[in-house]
Amino acid sequence: MDYKPHLIEKKWQKAWYENDAFKAIDFDERPKYYALVEFPYPSGDGLHVGHIRAYTSLEIIARKRRMEGYNVLFPIGFDAFGLPTENYAIKEKIHPRKVTDANIKVFTKQLQRVGFSFDFSRVVDTTDPEYFRWTQWIFIQLYKKGLAYRSKTYVNFCPSCKVVLSNEESQGGHCDRCDSTVEQKEKEVWFLKITEYAERLLEGLETLETLPRIRLEQENWIGRSEGAHIIFDVLGTESRLEVFTTRPDTLFGATFMVIAPEHPLIDAQAEQITNLAAVRHYQQSARLKTEFERTQLIKDKTGLKLDGLMAENPGTGEPIPIFVADYVMMGYGTGAIMAVPGHDERDYDFAKAHDLPIVEVIAGGDIKQAAYTDTETGILINSGFMNGLSVDAAIDAMIKHLEKTERGHRAVNFKMKDWAFNRQRYWGEPIPIIHCQDGTMVPVDEADLPVTLPEVEAFEPTDSGESPLANIKAFTDVSCPTCGEMARRETDTMPQWAGSSWYFLRYTDPHNNTQLADLEKLKYWLPVDWYNGGMEHVTRHVIYSRFWNQFLYDIGAVPVSEPYKKRTAQGLILGVDGDKMSKSKGNVVNPVEIIEHYGADTLRLYILFIGDYEQPTPWNDSGVKGARRFLDKVWRLYDHVDDQVETEAHERLLHQTIDAVDKDIEHVKFNTAIAKLMTLVNELSKAETIAKDTYITLLKLLNPFAPHIAEELYARLGHKETLVHASFPKADPDKMTERNVTVVISVNGKVRDKMTVAKDLDDEALKALVFDNERVHKFLGEDAPKRIIIVKNKLVNIVV
RNA sequence: GCCUGGGUGGCGGAAUUGGUAGACGCGUUGGACUUAAAAUCCAAUGGCAGUAAUGCCGUGCCGGUUCGAGUCCGGCCCUAGGUACCA
């Protein structure tokens, strides 16, 4: 009988899912293993081959761990709030709730057709009020601790999507989704004070097992730098300018100051500024510049002197001018800098453009030509008490001096900014805050959670950039929980990152309706042993969710400070043409079609065989056939199973394969693991008969990759129980070792011949054999060997 | 610009601490089976020269270390991703 995947796959999926074969058991005595994959956004397009690649890695691990005797939690859910659903709903005039439910149904069905061993009894859906009740609850806790606040800022506004975008969503000055040019709009919005956790988020990385580049990306995102805060008096006023600098040693070379266009000093000392009109004009034009213009490669150092104001350099005591220039950002440090043109390239450019004095305070360069920024060998000059010191020593000396004279102090600064936590759309979690008439903000009573979305017909955003919720009186009009007066509900919703920042906690106790998850269950399951997801989520999502977890740990809601032990990221699957898959390019591969044509086992196998898991790699239609052929071979092998005892050669290869497959799986080298299974099957296929035990071992090794065919053949051998909890094979080192080895003979480093000799043959005996070799004589000729290098069981190299 | 990956046959990709370059798969070619095709099986398959044995050349480029380099060192080039006037 032929291999008919569509028949056996349906049969086994039914058997697994109807019998809860993959159910994770709370508090079970077996060791636990928590394997987590990033939950999908259930788009209308259904499952993508990228999803399959993202999940199959931990699918293999989860299936292997169950066979190794672990109590495995391998959950799945849906990150279902978000713009595509909302936009689709607006276009088709269907409620986003209906769209979401339909999409989740399709996704679930498709995931099951692949045969993923998820525990479907623990599915979470971020748009389920029973879920986002706790998202809102967490927000309230953050608010109570002062970690959620409102602030007026300029936000990136997309005039086409009518939505406020984060910096990340408006990179290059264009909207992430529709590509329109982003405008700057002043607005009061919500922020989460993630900066308060910056140091801990950095420290916690030490316990996270991951690729160096993944760790580095997070470190760069957090962007810690050490230096000092220095206070400059603004002469003749009460105002002071505080700056952050990593180079306090260069203070004596600070010949002017620069503040960001948004800096409050301008308003505070407006009356002193004699060219105020021009300054106002400069501020205006800076605001109109898009992010793109402000950061594009041609970085003209525009700027304007604040006439009428001077600052005092606390090092030299000299008065120095103050400029406003848009190369200084309000969002980093204090929004003001001390400019040291001699030793900073940007300040150098600005000084040259505005004809300002350049003072050399670090010897070693030529400041007539360029700023000198070498901190390794530079020696301080023109710097009073620091003269003659190295840069390192001078930094230290200056900080001590500043602290003694109370002109400044040692400081650490972070590039990471507070998390803009808002969206002006319908399809998101309402922020559970009530604005009382008297101007105060009151969190919604926890007993009144969840704040649900009103049932409405229209969820289009308003032209003003306000959430569509702002127009719905039934939603906005409430009485204040503290004073009972008329009040108005917050109408902003949370960004999509909210629900995904804690979903891994909910999986441990998904149906709890008194708390986000039971602490004992969290204690049992956490931390996540292995988390896999996209490279693109390696910074923001991982940092955001670690932040929430650390906060929840601080308030005692979660038992561990760091939620993840290990993080991996799969590479992209590209189209056949090597480009990113996209509808517009028409190079999207639909996994369901592959399943219909070849079967789910073939799809799983091929996607893992396609290349290095962590590297991007193009799809290849005929490559899929190879995976199918391999399964056909495994199927046909069944007819050759016999009750004989296995030959020694087969046994050796089998144990070598067990060992290699085991190691390759753990090292995320699924492609080579499969290659080794193929080698084994090729070898077994050559024999007339193979032993039943050998075949069973093969099926067990294959089971994590292609579980349907493995189960079917295993059952046909007469087994009543499934392979789900069958024991995973263990390699026996004694049965792995070869009796003979091939030794390479080379002359002057060039391979000339090979010999098969007994393993661990001693050097003298080996030498004798080598000098008996005809080809060696040919290549040696008359020359006497100068040196002989022997690498045991590997090679002999003769140097002449 | 800076940071991090990656450049290996016609293609996807393998190669412990430096020690047989090209595992495995695809494709291609030839053969077997078949009325025929598909499927399957067998064989060959880095390049050049040669009837062959065999020899020479080959892991982005240039140079170095070494008995020996895809692997280590120095200097470039290309490419993908991240980040960007970060003080």
Coordinates of all heavy atoms in Angstrom, one line a residue, chain A residues 45-104:
Chain A
D45 N -5.3 36.5 5.9 CA -4.7 35.7 4.9 C -4.4 34.2 5.4 O -4.0 33.4 4.6 CB -3.3 36.3 4.5 CG -3.5 37.7 4.0 OD1 -4.5 37.9 3.4 OD2 -2.6 38.5 4.2
G46 N -4.6 34.0 6.6 CA -4.4 32.6 7.1 C -2.9 32.4 7.4 O -2.1 33.4 7.3
L47 N -2.5 31.2 7.6 CA -1.2 30.8 8.0 C -0.2 31.1 6.8 O -0.5 30.8 5.6 CB -1.2 29.3 8.3 CG -0.4 28.9 9.6 CD1 -0.7 29.8 10.8 CD2 -0.8 27.4 9.9
H48 N 1.0 31.5 7.2 CA 2.0 31.8 6.2 C 3.2 30.8 6.4 O 3.3 30.3 7.5 CB 2.5 33.2 6.5 CG 3.5 33.8 5.6 ND1 4.9 33.7 5.9 CD2 3.4 34.5 4.5 CE1 5.5 34.3 4.9 NE2 4.7 34.8 4.0
V49 N 4.0 30.5 5.4 CA 5.1 29.6 5.6 C 6.0 30.1 6.7 O 6.7 29.3 7.4 CB 5.9 29.2 4.4 CG1 5.1 28.3 3.5 CG2 6.4 30.4 3.7
G50 N 6.1 31.4 6.9 CA 6.9 32.0 8.0 C 6.5 31.5 9.3 O 7.3 31.2 10.2
H51 N 5.1 31.4 9.5 CA 4.6 30.9 10.8 C 5.1 29.5 11.0 O 5.5 29.1 12.1 CB 3.1 30.9 10.8 CG 2.4 32.3 10.8 ND1 1.6 32.7 9.8 CD2 2.5 33.2 11.7 CE1 1.2 33.9 10.1 NE2 1.7 34.3 11.3
I52 N 5.0 28.7 10.0 CA 5.4 27.3 10.1 C 6.8 27.2 10.5 O 7.2 26.4 11.4 CB 5.2 26.5 8.7 CG1 3.9 26.9 8.1 CG2 5.4 25.0 9.0 CD1 2.7 26.2 8.6
R53 N 7.7 28.0 9.9 CA 9.1 27.9 10.3 C 9.3 28.3 11.7 O 10.0 27.7 12.5 CB 9.9 28.8 9.4 CG 11.4 28.5 9.5 CD 12.3 29.3 8.7 NE 13.5 28.6 8.3 CZ 14.6 29.2 7.8 NH1 14.6 30.5 7.6 NH2 15.7 28.5 7.5
A54 N 8.5 29.4 12.1 CA 8.7 29.9 13.5 C 8.3 28.9 14.5 O 8.8 28.8 15.6 CB 7.8 31.2 13.6
Y55 N 7.3 28.1 14.2 CA 6.7 27.1 15.2 C 7.4 25.8 15.2 O 7.4 25.0 16.2 CB 5.2 27.0 15.0 CG 4.5 28.3 15.0 CD1 3.2 28.4 14.4 CD2 5.0 29.4 15.7 CE1 2.6 29.6 14.4 CE2 4.3 30.6 15.7 CZ 3.1 30.7 15.0 OH 2.4 31.9 15.0
T56 N 7.8 25.3 14.0 CA 8.3 23.9 13.9 C 9.6 23.7 14.8 O 9.7 22.6 15.3 CB 8.7 23.5 12.5 OG1 9.3 24.6 11.8 CG2 7.5 23.0 11.8
S57 N 10.4 24.7 15.0 CA 11.6 24.5 15.9 C 11.2 24.0 17.2 O 11.6 23.0 17.7 CB 12.4 25.8 16.0 OG 11.5 26.9 16.4
L58 N 10.3 24.8 17.9 CA 9.9 24.4 19.3 C 8.9 23.2 19.2 O 8.7 22.5 20.2 CB 9.4 25.6 20.0 CG 10.5 26.6 20.4 CD1 10.0 27.5 21.5 CD2 11.8 25.9 20.8
E59 N 8.2 23.0 18.1 CA 7.4 21.9 17.9 C 8.3 20.6 18.0 O 7.9 19.6 18.7 CB 6.7 21.9 16.6 CG 6.2 20.6 16.0 CD 5.0 20.1 16.7 OE1 4.5 20.7 17.6 OE2 4.5 19.0 16.3
I60 N 9.4 20.7 17.4 CA 10.4 19.5 17.5 C 10.8 19.4 18.9 O 10.9 18.3 19.5 CB 11.6 19.8 16.6 CG1 11.2 20.0 15.1 CG2 12.6 18.7 16.7 CD1 10.5 18.9 14.5
I61 N 11.2 20.5 19.5 CA 11.7 20.4 20.9 C 10.6 19.9 21.8 O 10.8 19.0 22.7 CB 12.1 21.8 21.4 CG1 13.4 22.3 20.6 CG2 12.5 21.8 22.9 CD1 14.6 21.5 20.8
A62 N 9.4 20.4 21.7 CA 8.2 20.0 22.5 C 8.0 18.5 22.4 O 7.8 17.8 23.4 CB 7.0 20.8 22.2
R63 N 8.0 18.0 21.2 CA 7.7 16.6 21.0 C 8.8 15.7 21.5 O 8.6 14.7 22.1 CB 7.5 16.3 19.5 CG 6.1 16.8 19.0 CD 5.7 16.0 17.7 NE 4.4 16.5 17.2 CZ 3.3 15.8 17.2 NH1 3.3 14.6 17.8 NH2 2.2 16.2 16.7
K64 N 10.1 16.2 21.3 CA 11.2 15.5 21.9 C 11.2 15.5 23.4 O 11.4 14.4 24.0 CB 12.5 16.1 21.4 CG 13.8 15.4 21.8 CD 15.0 15.9 21.0 CE 16.3 15.2 21.4 NZ 17.0 15.9 22.5
R65 N 10.9 16.6 24.0 CA 10.8 16.7 25.5 C 9.8 15.8 26.1 O 10.0 15.1 27.1 CB 10.6 18.1 25.9 CG 11.7 19.1 25.7 CD 12.9 18.9 26.6 NE 13.9 19.9 26.4 CZ 14.9 19.7 25.4 NH1 15.0 18.6 24.7 NH2 15.8 20.7 25.2
R66 N 8.6 15.7 25.4 CA 7.6 14.8 25.9 C 8.1 13.3 25.9 O 7.9 12.6 26.8 CB 6.3 14.8 25.0 CG 5.5 16.1 25.3 CD 4.1 16.0 24.6 NE 3.7 17.4 24.4 CZ 3.8 18.1 23.3 NH1 4.3 17.5 22.2 NH2 3.4 19.3 23.2
M67 N 8.9 13.0 24.8 CA 9.4 11.6 24.7 C 10.5 11.4 25.8 O 10.8 10.3 26.1 CB 9.9 11.4 23.3 CG 8.8 11.4 22.3 SD 9.4 11.3 20.6 CE 9.8 9.5 20.4
E68 N 11.1 12.5 26.2 CA 12.2 12.4 27.2 C 11.6 12.5 28.6 O 12.4 12.5 29.6 CB 13.2 13.6 27.0 CG 14.0 13.4 25.8 CD 14.8 14.7 25.4 OE1 14.4 15.8 25.8 OE2 15.8 14.5 24.7
G69 N 10.3 12.5 28.7 CA 9.7 12.4 30.1 C 9.4 13.7 30.7 O 9.1 13.8 31.9
Y70 N 9.3 14.8 30.0 CA 9.0 16.1 30.6 C 7.5 16.3 30.5 O 6.8 15.8 29.6 CB 9.7 17.2 29.8 CG 11.2 17.3 30.1 CD1 12.1 16.6 29.3 CD2 11.6 18.2 31.1 CE1 13.4 16.7 29.6 CE2 13.0 18.3 31.4 CZ 13.9 17.6 30.6 OH 15.2 17.6 30.8
N71 N 7.0 17.1 31.4 CA 5.6 17.6 31.4 C 5.7 18.9 30.6 O 6.2 19.9 31.1 CB 5.2 17.9 32.8 CG 3.8 18.5 32.9 OD1 3.0 18.2 32.0 ND2 3.5 19.2 33.9
V72 N 5.3 18.9 29.3 CA 5.5 20.0 28.4 C 4.4 21.0 28.3 O 3.2 20.5 28.1 CB 5.9 19.5 27.0 CG1 6.0 20.6 26.0 CG2 7.2 18.7 27.1
L73 N 4.7 22.3 28.5 CA 3.7 23.3 28.2 C 4.1 24.0 26.9 O 5.1 24.6 26.8 CB 3.7 24.4 29.3 CG 2.8 25.6 29.0 CD1 1.4 25.3 28.7 CD2 2.9 26.6 30.2
F74 N 3.3 23.7 25.8 CA 3.6 24.3 24.5 C 2.3 24.9 24.0 O 1.5 24.3 23.3 CB 4.0 23.2 23.6 CG 4.5 23.6 22.2 CD1 5.3 24.8 22.0 CD2 4.2 22.9 21.1 CE1 5.7 25.2 20.8 CE2 4.6 23.3 19.8 CZ 5.4 24.5 19.7
P75 N 2.1 26.2 24.4 CA 0.8 26.8 24.1 C 0.8 27.7 22.9 O 1.8 28.0 22.3 CB 0.6 27.7 25.4 CG 2.0 28.1 25.7 CD 2.9 27.0 25.2
I76 N -0.4 28.1 22.5 CA -0.6 29.0 21.4 C -1.7 29.9 21.7 O -2.6 29.6 22.5 CB -0.8 28.2 20.1 CG1 -0.8 29.1 18.8 CG2 -2.2 27.5 20.1 CD1 0.6 29.6 18.4
G77 N -1.7 31.1 21.0 CA -2.8 32.1 21.3 C -2.8 33.0 20.1 O -2.2 32.8 19.1
F78 N -3.6 34.1 20.3 CA -3.7 35.1 19.2 C -3.6 36.5 19.7 O -4.3 36.9 20.6 CB -5.1 34.8 18.5 CG -5.2 33.5 18.0 CD1 -5.8 32.4 18.7 CD2 -4.6 33.2 16.8 CE1 -5.8 31.1 18.2 CE2 -4.6 31.9 16.3 CZ -5.3 30.9 17.0
D79 N -2.7 37.2 19.0 CA -2.5 38.6 19.3 C -3.4 39.4 18.4 O -3.0 39.9 17.4 CB -1.0 38.9 19.0 CG -0.5 40.3 19.5 OD1 -1.3 40.9 20.3 OD2 0.6 40.7 19.2
A80 N -4.7 39.5 18.8 CA -5.7 39.8 17.8 C -6.1 41.3 17.6 O -6.8 41.6 16.7 CB -6.9 38.9 18.0
F81 N -5.7 42.1 18.6 CA -5.9 43.5 18.4 C -5.0 44.1 17.3 O -3.9 43.6 17.1 CB -5.7 44.4 19.6 CG -6.8 44.4 20.6 CD1 -6.7 44.0 21.9 CD2 -8.1 44.8 20.2 CE1 -7.7 44.0 22.8 CE2 -9.2 44.8 21.1 CZ -9.0 44.4 22.4
G82 N -5.5 45.1 16.5 CA -4.5 45.6 15.6 C -5.2 46.2 14.4 O -6.4 46.0 14.1
L83 N -4.4 47.0 13.7 CA -4.9 47.8 12.6 C -5.5 47.0 11.4 O -6.5 47.4 10.8 CB -3.9 48.8 12.1 CG -3.9 50.1 12.8 CD1 -2.9 51.1 12.1 CD2 -5.3 50.8 12.6
P84 N -4.8 46.0 10.9 CA -5.3 45.3 9.7 C -6.8 44.9 9.8 O -7.6 45.1 8.9 CB -4.4 44.2 9.5 CG -3.1 44.6 10.1 CD -3.5 45.4 11.3
T85 N -7.1 44.3 11.0 CA -8.4 43.8 11.2 C -9.4 45.0 11.2 O -10.5 45.0 10.6 CB -8.5 43.1 12.6 OG1 -7.6 42.1 12.6 CG2 -9.9 42.6 12.9
E86 N -9.0 46.1 11.9 CA -9.8 47.3 12.0 C -10.1 47.9 10.6 O -11.2 48.2 10.2 CB -9.2 48.3 12.9 CG -10.0 49.5 13.1 CD -9.5 50.3 14.3 OE1 -8.7 49.8 15.1 OE2 -10.0 51.5 14.4
N87 N -9.0 48.0 9.8 CA -9.1 48.6 8.5 C -10.0 47.7 7.6 O -10.8 48.2 6.8 CB -7.7 48.7 7.8 CG -6.9 49.8 8.5 OD1 -7.5 50.7 9.2 ND2 -5.6 49.8 8.3
Y88 N -9.8 46.4 7.7 CA -10.7 45.5 7.0 C -12.1 45.6 7.4 O -13.0 45.6 6.5 CB -10.2 44.0 7.2 CG -11.0 43.0 6.5 CD1 -10.7 42.7 5.1 CD2 -12.0 42.3 7.1 CE1 -11.4 41.7 4.5 CE2 -12.8 41.3 6.4 CZ -12.5 41.0 5.1 OH -13.2 40.1 4.4
A89 N -12.3 45.8 8.7 CA -13.7 45.9 9.2 C -14.3 47.2 8.7 O -15.5 47.2 8.3 CB -13.6 45.9 10.7
I90 N -13.6 48.3 8.6 CA -14.1 49.5 8.1 C -14.5 49.4 6.6 O -15.5 49.8 6.2 CB -13.0 50.7 8.3 CG1 -12.9 51.0 9.8 CG2 -13.4 51.9 7.5 CD1 -11.7 51.9 10.1
K91 N -13.6 48.7 5.9 CA -13.8 48.6 4.5 C -15.0 47.7 4.2 O -15.8 48.0 3.3 CB -12.5 48.0 3.8 CG -12.3 48.3 2.4 CD -11.0 47.8 1.8 CE -11.2 46.6 0.9 NZ -10.1 45.7 0.9
E92 N -15.1 46.6 4.9 CA -16.2 45.6 4.6 C -17.4 45.8 5.4 O -18.4 45.1 5.3 CB -15.6 44.2 4.8 CG -14.4 43.9 3.9 CD -14.7 43.8 2.4 OE1 -15.8 43.4 2.1 OE2 -13.8 44.2 1.7
K93 N -17.4 46.8 6.3 CA -18.5 47.1 7.2 C -18.9 45.9 8.0 O -20.1 45.5 8.1 CB -19.7 47.6 6.4 CG -19.4 48.8 5.5 CD -20.3 50.0 5.8 CE -20.0 51.2 5.0 NZ -18.7 51.9 5.2
I94 N -17.9 45.2 8.5 CA -18.2 44.1 9.4 C -17.5 44.4 10.8 O -16.4 45.0 10.8 CB -17.5 42.7 8.9 CG1 -17.9 42.5 7.5 CG2 -18.0 41.6 9.8 CD1 -17.2 41.4 6.8
H95 N -18.1 44.0 11.9 CA -17.5 44.4 13.1 C -16.2 43.6 13.3 O -16.1 42.5 13.0 CB -18.5 44.0 14.3 CG -18.1 44.6 15.6 ND1 -17.1 44.1 16.4 CD2 -18.6 45.8 16.2 CE1 -17.0 44.9 17.4 NE2 -17.9 45.9 17.3
P96 N -15.1 44.3 13.8 CA -13.8 43.7 14.0 C -13.9 42.4 14.9 O -13.1 41.5 14.7 CB -13.0 44.8 14.7 CG -13.8 45.9 15.0 CD -15.1 45.8 14.1
R97 N -14.9 42.4 15.8 CA -15.1 41.2 16.6 C -15.3 40.0 15.7 O -14.8 38.9 15.9 CB -16.2 41.4 17.6 CG -16.6 40.3 18.5 CD -15.7 40.0 19.6 NE -14.7 39.0 19.2 CZ -13.5 38.9 19.8 NH1 -13.1 39.7 20.8 NH2 -12.7 37.9 19.5
K98 N -16.2 40.2 14.8 CA -16.6 39.1 13.9 C -15.5 38.7 13.0 O -15.2 37.5 12.8 CB -17.8 39.5 13.0 CG -19.1 39.5 13.7 CD -20.3 39.5 12.7 CE -21.6 39.4 13.4 NZ -22.5 40.5 13.1
V99 N -14.7 39.7 12.5 CA -13.6 39.4 11.6 C -12.6 38.6 12.4 O -12.0 37.6 11.9 CB -12.9 40.7 11.1 CG1 -11.7 40.4 10.3 CG2 -13.9 41.6 10.4
T100 N -12.3 39.0 13.6 CA -11.3 38.4 14.5 C -11.7 36.9 14.8 O -10.9 36.0 14.6 CB -11.2 39.1 15.8 OG1 -10.8 40.5 15.5 CG2 -10.1 38.5 16.7
D101 N -12.9 36.7 15.1 CA -13.4 35.4 15.4 C -13.2 34.4 14.2 O -12.8 33.3 14.4 CB -14.9 35.4 15.9 CG -15.0 35.9 17.3 OD1 -13.9 35.9 18.0 OD2 -16.1 36.3 17.7
A102 N -13.6 35.0 13.1 CA -13.5 34.2 11.9 C -12.1 33.8 11.6 O -11.7 32.7 11.3 CB -14.1 34.9 10.7
N103 N -11.2 34.8 11.7 CA -9.8 34.6 11.4 C -9.2 33.6 12.4 O -8.3 32.7 12.0 CB -9.0 35.9 11.5 CG -9.3 36.8 10.3 OD1 -10.0 36.4 9.4 ND2 -8.8 38.0 10.4
I104 N -9.5 33.7 13.7 CA -9.0 32.8 14.7 C -9.4 31.3 14.3 O -8.6 30.4 14.5 CB -9.4 33.2 16.1 CG1 -8.6 34.4 16.5 CG2 -9.2 32.0 17.1 CD1 -9.0 34.9 17.9

